[in-house]
Amino acid sequence: MTYCVALKLDEGLVFLSDTRTNAGVDDVSRYRKMFTWEVPGERAVVMMTAGNLSITQGVMTRLTVAVAEEGAIDAPAENILTVPDLFRLAQVTGDLMRDLVEQHGDAIEKEGASSAASIILGGQIKGQPPRLFLIYSAGNFIECGEDTPFLQIGEIKYGKPILDRTITHQTSLDEGMRTALVSMDSSVRSNLSVGAPFDLTVVAKDRYSLSVSRRVGEADPTFRAVSDGWSAALSRAIKDLPRVDHWFDERASS
Amino acid sequence: MTYCVALKLDEGLVFLSDTRTNAGVDDVSRYRKMFTWEVPGERAVVMMTAGNLSITQGVMTRLTVAVAEEGAIDAPAENILTVPDLFRLAQVTGDLMRDLVEQHGDAIEKEGASSAASIILGGQIKGQPPRLFLIYSAGNFIECGEDTPFLQIGEIKYGKPILDRTITHQTSLDEGMRTALVSMDSSVRSNLSVGAPFDLTVVAKDRYSLSVSRRVGEADPTFRAVSDGWSAALSRAIKDLPRVDHWFDERASS
């Protein structure tokens, strides 16, 4: 499996992905699931992928080749660096994914595997607001809106409660990064199929560049401080909750 | 869906279940999923059920009827109040569930539903230690052991991280109840198919009775204090984590 999370905050976008891929517990490997493109001062684009690796790699390869071939006679008319807006890029990406699923889906499912895949796409192009999309393998997509300022793909449940409780649009980028790391750490601890290292990217608003773009290892001192700090804080928080043992007396006296 | 969690602590057992059952988001009802039996001073037994409701209700009805019929000529030789130990009760319960799945499983699956079900069984019989089992619809079961002092059934992922981080055998019953409530509250907030009210039962060690046995509504003042206290503590904990924004400078200066 995989776990990827993206936050859409007033200060910009935060993206975090793991790097573990598995086809059963005895076939675990490490693959990059975060892809970034940058024309500093003009646009910054980030994608994260989950699901069938052959499908998502096929999409990423086609998108990357289109950028490399720009100007060649046979090159696609549009690529990541030339699309006028991210909504159009979501359409192009969704179409590529749907075509690949149509081409290979039946054969993949015949082998007992799933061809389902999903992609988170986000970033900002100069003169436009930051945008964030979730694209499904059927080619359709949704945009992250006002009410829930985050999107997740892959093994999403373990890391969802902390996001549900703490993330709002007003959350700062710094706090957003920490919360994403905690959400990821929760998934890693509770599920073998999500694993370090992690890829972290931040697209701060109106910078049109990648403000943070780094790989975070399990032994990274900042990550360790966040992870250990979180464990300690949770234990303390449970201890500080109001006691409930008056419920014992209730039954004893009834 | 459903969420049930049981903790096996040195001080005894904690059981917590929700009461929501759904066959799709437009067919949501409330059903009791926790069942208790008590012979004060001799034995206390608790079961919680998840999965196909017709299967688990069938098992519970048969177990309950067997108790009521005790002594009658056709009554089963063993019932919950007469089995010599909980291991034997896990066998009896598993056999009942397997028989029902064999009888109805094909027809259920033909309708597009799942016949899968699971039961958590725990308690203590005088002269024996407290025990806790997870019984599958195939009739097989596992016993909660030393390494992971809790069992979950149903929609388990949202509420697992807090258990993974904080529950040990040494956790007190009071802290265990609070943690179970937090685990349940996380599931409720992140998943529509889990809902209040909750049933909470505690079997304190060597009391051979139900030390706590109560229904906890969403508006219960103690539950509200735990839930609100937890939200506040999480927000504070995120704010108190080490800052990570030196990662911005790193890229700016490279």
Side-chain angles (χ1 to χ4, degrees):
Chain A
M1 279 297 278
T2 292
Y3 177 51
C4 303
V5 55
L7 314 179
K8 186 164 177 249
L9 311 173
D10 291 344
E11 294 183 8
L13 306 169
V14 174
F15 301 84
L16 183 67
S17 74
D18 82 324
T19 52
R20 190 163 295 179
T21 297
N22 71 310
V25 286
D26 57 348
D27 184 10
V28 175
S29 345
R30 202 190 279 173
Y31 283 95
R32 189 169 183 84
K33 295 162 198 173
M34 185 182 289
F35 303 84
T36 61
W37 295 266
E38 186 183 25
V39 182
E42 201 276 324
R43 69 178 60 196
V45 177
V46 181
M47 292 199 198
M48 299 190 291
T49 64
N52 187 292
L53 192 63
S54 68
I55 298 290
T56 58
Q57 281 193 346
V59 174
M60 291 302 136
T61 303
R62 281 161 181 75
L63 289 170
T64 309
V65 166
V67 170
E69 282 180 346
E70 199 194 327
I73 290 171
D74 298 338
E78 293 172 311
N79 67 49
I80 292 177
L81 304 186
T82 65
V83 284
D85 55 59
L86 291 175
F87 182 88
R88 176 65 194 147
L89 183 54
Q91 284 180 321
V92 170
T93 307
D95 290 350
L96 279 172
M97 188 148 58
R98 189 194 53 232
D99 290 351
L100 278 162
V101 170
E102 269 172 15
Q103 195 178 335
H104 300 292
D106 286 349
I108 290 169
E109 313 242 328
K110 222 174 267 172
E111 300 284 331
S114 164
S115 61
S118 49
I119 294 177
I120 286 178
L121 156 67
Q124 190 177 12
I125 294 178
K126 193 161 191 176
Q128 302 173 24
R131 296 180 78 172
L132 185 62
F133 298 90
L134 171 50
I135 308 166
Y136 300 100
S137 23
N140 56 332
F141 53 88
I142 58 170
E143 181 164 8
C144 183
E146 287 305 306
D147 293 323
T148 307
F150 61 85
L151 292 174
Q152 305 169 283
I153 52 176
E155 189 61 82
I156 67 175
K157 294 184 180 181
Y158 305 105
K160 189 164 183 287
I162 180 65
L163 303 173
D164 280 332
R165 296 232 194 201
T166 62
I167 293 292
T168 70
H169 286 281
Q170 290 80 45
T171 303
S172 71
L173 284 178
D174 181 68
E175 206 171 308
M177 283 191 278
R178 278 181 267 166
T179 311
L181 288 170
V182 164
S183 174
M184 178 63 76
D185 194 37
S186 300
S187 309
V188 170
R189 281 177 179 245
S190 292
N191 191 301
L192 268 185
S193 74
V194 179
F198 315 116
D199 288 317
L200 173 69
T201 298
V202 175
V203 176
K205 197 183 174 194
D206 297 343
R207 301 288 195 85
Y208 315 109
S209 66
L210 309 177
S211 302
V212 174
S213 177
R214 60 150 37 232
R215 179 149 283 194
V216 181
E218 195 132 35
D220 179 289
T222 305
F223 177 69
R224 285 260 50 85
V226 167
S227 173
D228 296 344
W230 185 247
S231 277
L234 285 197
S235 298
R236 221 168 30 238
I238 287 279
K239 282 186 204 313
D240 290 348
L241 285 179
R243 296 183 69 91
V244 297
D245 49 6
H246 54 276
W247 284 345
F248 280 109
D249 311 328
E250 231 170 59
R251 190 165 158 96
S253 65
S254 69
Chain B
M1 279 293 279
T2 293
Y3 177 51
C4 304
V5 54
L7 313 179
K8 186 165 177 249
L9 310 173
D10 291 345
E11 293 183 10
L13 306 169
V14 174
F15 301 84
L16 183 67
S17 74
D18 83 324
T19 52
R20 191 163 294 180
T21 297
N22 71 310
V25 287
D26 58 348
D27 184 10
V28 175
S29 345
R30 202 188 280 173
Y31 282 96
R32 190 169 183 85
K33 297 163 195 172
M34 185 182 289
F35 303 84
T36 59
W37 295 264
E38 186 182 26
V39 181
E42 200 277 322
R43 68 178 60 195
V45 177
V46 181
M47 293 199 197
M48 298 188 292
T49 64
N52 188 293
L53 192 63
S54 68
I55 298 290
T56 58
Q57 281 194 345
V59 175
M60 289 304 136
T61 303
R62 281 161 181 74
L63 288 170
T64 308
V65 167
V67 170
E69 285 180 344
E70 200 194 328
I73 289 172
D74 299 338
E78 293 171 310
N79 67 48
I80 291 178
L81 303 186
T82 63
V83 284
D85 55 60
L86 292 175
F87 182 88
R88 176 64 195 148
L89 182 55
Q91 284 180 322
V92 169
T93 307
D95 289 351
L96 277 173
M97 186 147 61
R98 191 195 52 233
D99 290 350
L100 277 163
V101 171
E102 270 172 15
Q103 194 178 336
H104 300 291
D106 286 349
I108 292 170
E109 314 242 328
K110 222 174 264 172
E111 301 285 330
S114 165
S115 61
S118 49
I119 294 176
I120 286 177
L121 156 67
Q124 189 177 13
I125 295 177
K126 192 160 192 179
Q128 303 173 25
R131 297 180 79 171
L132 185 62
F133 298 90
L134 170 49
I135 308 167
Y136 301 100
S137 21
N140 56 332
F141 53 87
I142 58 172
E143 181 163 7
C144 183
E146 287 305 307
D147 294 323
T148 307
F150 60 85
L151 292 175
Q152 305 169 284
I153 52 178
E155 190 60 82
I156 68 174
K157 293 184 180 183
Y158 305 104
K160 187 165 184 285
I162 180 63
L163 303 174
D164 280 332
R165 296 232 194 201
T166 62
I167 292 293
T168 69
H169 286 283
Q170 291 81 45
T171 303
S172 70
L173 283 178
D174 181 67
E175 205 171 309
M177 282 192 278
R178 278 182 267 166
T179 310
L181 288 170
V182 165
S183 175
M184 177 63 76
D185 194 38
S186 301
S187 309
V188 170
R189 281 178 179 244
S190 292
N191 192 301
L192 269 184
S193 74
V194 180
F198 315 117
D199 288 317
L200 173 69
T201 298
V202 174
V203 176
K205 197 181 173 194
D206 296 344
R207 301 287 194 85
Y208 315 108
S209 66
L210 309 177
S211 302
V212 175
S213 177
R214 61 151 35 231
R215 178 150 282 194
V216 180
E218 196 133 34
D220 179 289
T222 304
F223 176 69
R224 287 261 48 86
V226 167
S227 174
D228 297 343
W230 185 247
S231 278
L234 285 197
S235 298
R236 220 167 31 238
I238 287 279
K239 283 187 204 313
D240 290 347
L241 285 178
R243 296 182 70 91
V244 298
D245 49 5
H246 54 276
W247 285 344
F248 281 109
D249 311 328
E250 231 170 59
R251 188 166 160 95
S253 65
S254 69

